Amino acid sequence: PVISSEIMTLHHQKHHNTYVTNLNIAMEKYTDAQAKNDVTAMIALQPAIKFNGGGHINHSIFWTNLAPPNAGGGGEPSGELA
């Protein structure tokens, strides 16, 4: 398989960035709702926090796995399936 620079740039700057942006928005709204003790709003925001937080975490793992070994990433495959 080939991983092009164009695809990785698009993936990072658009796709992953969207998860982070939407997570930040949801967390800001959650903080406001929490300050107002608006439990209904806090519950309503949980799906957005889970979805965008999960997308951010998954992409962060993805970038780490693609990093070179000296930057904390994976290395050459090993073991029975390699």
Side-chain angles (χ1 to χ4, degrees):
V2 176
I3 301 174
S4 73
S5 171
E6 180 182 11
I7 293 297
M8 289 297 97
T9 299
L10 175 70
H11 199 78
H12 185 267
Q13 292 179 354
K14 300 289 184 184
H15 192 65
H16 186 185
N17 186 51
T18 300
Y19 284 120
V20 173
T21 299
N22 290 335
L23 175 61
N24 288 337
I25 291 168
M27 290 303 299
E28 185 176 326
K29 289 179 180 180
Y30 188 90
T31 300
D32 291 342
Q34 193 173 31
K36 296 174 185 173
N37 201 29
D38 185 350
V39 176
T40 301
M42 292 164 60
I43 291 169
L45 287 162
Q46 288 180 5
I49 292 168
K50 289 180 197 177
F51 179 78
N52 291 294
H56 168 54
I57 290 169
N58 288 338
H59 281 80
S60 295
I61 293 168
F62 176 73
W63 301 124
T64 300
N65 288 342
L66 288 178
N70 64 354
E76 292 296 321
S78 62
E80 190 174 322
L81 296 177

